[in-house]
Amino acid sequence: MTLMPNFYRDRVCLNVLAGSKENAREIWQAAEGHVLVGVLSKNYDSVASAVADMRDYAALIDNALSVGLGAGDPNQSAMVSAIAGQLQPQHVNQVFTGVAASRALLGQRQTVVNGLISPTGRPGMVKISTGPLSSQAPEGIVPIATAIALLKDMGGSSVKYFPMGGLKAIEEFRAVAKACAEQDFWLEPTGGIDLDNYAAILQIALEAGVSKIIPHIYSSIIDKASGNTRPDDVRALLAMTKKLVG
């Protein structure tokens, strides 16, 4: 099984959550494989139980597994790194300060490891204090170019920009996309993305020239009754992606 996500036209790969193993397979098929399927570490009481269960998920979707924190919870950082080291998934979600540990435990460069940075209300400036201790300290705010350089230093693959609140932080997102393009770094917009604003958000990243984009679309496409992501919504997202990427 490959360690690299299956990007559509080598440019865009969706990231959505699975409510079950069957749902994971449905999502993967609906996206024609151009998806990373998120399973949250927070749902398990131990690394061993997470690894055992997530391995079953990975087998169903050609390893297109995204190991998640759970709403960006910094307290899950160490657990995510431990799981990733054993599982070797295609994608790992991390807080800013957890990137180096995940990369070291993975022992290879192919798996995508993102680093969580957050909007500040000031275009060009981002918050990097997203770790277990730093998130409780006075905010660490730096230029986006510096944040990207730090992530590169730690072995990161991409910026996870969260929480965006959909289009609320769009001018800040434009600045992040521009910096990612200039520094040849990948971008993962996250938070409040739905079928209505997805195209606008993806278009900004594409027009900025970001080389690879992994948009996270979570709660807006989850059926509240079943807890499963709706495959038809994933098909709709893929159709929009194809139209925009060309």
Side-chain angles (χ1 to χ4, degrees):
M1 293 191 289
T2 178
L3 295 174
M4 277 292 289
N6 181 13
F7 289 87
Y8 176 72
R9 295 276 173 95
D10 205 32
R11 196 79 189 277
V12 179
C13 187
L14 302 170
N15 190 307
V16 302
L17 293 175
S20 66
K21 289 167 192 168
E22 182 182 2
N23 188 219
R25 181 74 177 176
E26 290 172 342
I27 291 163
W28 184 70
Q29 291 173 334
E32 299 172 13
H34 302 298
V35 68
L36 289 156
V37 180
V39 182
L40 305 178
S41 63
K42 205 168 186 174
N43 294 342
Y44 300 91
D45 58 11
S46 69
V47 170
S49 63
V51 168
D53 199 46
M54 289 187 194
R55 190 165 276 136
D56 291 341
Y57 276 90
L60 291 169
I61 54 176
D62 197 26
N63 204 37
L65 180 70
S66 173
V67 179
L69 294 157
D73 185 351
N75 296 313
Q76 293 299 116
S77 179
M79 186 176 184
V80 164
S81 289
I83 291 167
Q86 293 186 47
L87 266 187
Q88 299 289 306
Q90 288 183 3
H91 187 265
V92 177
N93 292 276
Q94 261 302 358
V95 294
F96 191 90
T97 54
V99 170
S102 283
R103 181 61 72 198
L105 288 169
L106 283 162
Q108 40 85 2
R109 299 284 305 185
Q110 291 170 276
T111 292
V112 176
V113 179
N114 67 33
L116 173 58
I117 64 174
S118 300
T120 62
R122 298 162 57 196
M125 303 298 290
V126 295
K127 183 173 80 170
I128 63 172
S129 50
T130 59
L133 298 178
S134 57
S135 61
Q136 305 302 311
E139 288 186 338
I141 295 174
V142 302
I144 178 58
T146 302
I148 291 172
L150 287 165
L151 287 169
K152 285 184 174 183
D153 280 346
M154 295 187 289
S157 314
S158 55
V159 161
K160 181 176 182 178
Y161 196 53
F162 173 84
M164 280 181 60
L167 298 173
K168 288 178 183 175
I170 208 66
E171 290 309 314
E172 291 184 75
F173 179 63
R174 287 184 199 278
V176 171
K178 181 175 181 287
C180 284
E182 289 172 349
Q183 293 181 245
D184 192 23
F185 207 58
W186 301 356
L187 177 56
E188 305 192 26
T190 320
I193 302 177
D194 57 29
L195 292 173
D196 294 325
N197 62 30
Y198 172 75
I201 290 167
L202 180 59
Q203 185 70 25
I204 287 168
L206 290 169
E207 288 182 352
V210 181
S211 56
K212 284 185 171 58
I213 308 151
I214 304 175
H216 294 231
I217 311 93
Y218 286 172
S219 58
S220 66
I221 60 170
I222 292 174
D223 179 81
K224 300 302 183 284
S226 67
N228 290 332
T229 288
R230 294 184 288 267
D232 283 347
D233 286 358
V234 174
R235 289 186 189 93
L237 289 164
L238 180 64
M240 283 187 267
T241 300
K242 288 181 174 181
K243 184 177 179 181
L244 288 169
V245 174

